[in-house]
Amino acid sequence: DMNQSAMHTDLWLSPRPGTDAALALAACQVILAEGLYKADYLLEQTDLPFLVRSDDGRFLRESDLVQGGHEDRFAVWDEGKAKPVWAPGTPGSSEAKLTWGKDQRPVLDASAEVTLASGQKLAVRSVFSLLRERLQALTPEHAAGITGIAASVIRRFAHDFAAAPAALILSGYGSCK
């Protein structure tokens, strides 16, 4: 609702009740499709570079590739080595920091085939790759029909949000119900 706080915002949106997810997904679609994200940030601060197994949808783990490997050490694709490497800072990792080593070049949008510890070959993709694919159809035009917010306004929101040095989305008390 428009209230004393909302009147001071840069952009006030009022989607139909229950359609917040459609709005957020459309904004994400714009940000990914137009490359408005900071890849270094996504590589270091999110699980988007983590590899996902094509058979069960789980993160690829060290235990999948190495007999006796850690169940909570996750893999990303390394461009230079053309193979999976272990993400620093995950619970099973020996590194406590999230920063990548100088010899590591993780790929954000990865699709590859790996050989499991059992010898079986398996296709894997990064979370980013899967997200990009799933967002393709969730355009602002699609979301406009769901949310009641014009596609041009959704695009503006996505652009403003991606360009902001810091952004905050305030959600009302009842949104979780």
Side-chain angles (χ1 to χ4, degrees), residues 42-119:
L42 297 181
L43 286 167
E44 183 181 280
Q45 297 294 322
T46 73
D47 64 1
L48 291 175
F50 288 12
L51 296 174
V52 177
R53 296 173 55 122
S54 62
D55 59 348
D56 61 10
R58 289 179 41 148
F59 286 146
L60 184 67
R61 300 154 194 274
E62 184 181 40
S63 59
D64 294 330
L65 301 179
V66 178
Q67 205 71 356
H70 290 274
E71 179 70 15
D72 56 357
R73 193 169 186 198
F74 306 117
V76 301
W77 192 258
D78 187 286
E79 182 179 43
K81 297 177 178 133
K83 67 177 189 175
V85 296
W86 312 118
T90 58
S93 174
S94 58
E95 300 94 15
K97 296 182 179 180
L98 298 174
T99 54
W100 295 99
K102 291 180 183 174
D103 65 331
Q104 295 175 316
R105 293 191 349 231
V107 176
L108 194 55
D109 197 356
S111 180
E113 184 177 81
V114 297
T115 303
L116 301 177
S118 66

Side-chain angles (χ1 to χ4, degrees), residues 23-45:
L23 174 63
L25 290 169
C28 288
Q29 190 275 340
V30 170
I31 290 168
L32 291 188
E34 296 183 17
L36 303 175
Y37 54 88
K38 294 180 175 101
D40 289 344
Y41 178 85
L42 297 181
L43 286 167
E44 183 181 280
Q45 297 294 322

Side-chain angles (χ1 to χ4, degrees), residues 22 26-27 29-30 137-145 147 149-152 154-155 158:
Q29 190 275 340
V30 170
L138 303 176
T139 63
E141 290 74 20
H142 174 76
T147 64
I149 296 174
S152 61
I154 295 172
R155 276 189 176 25

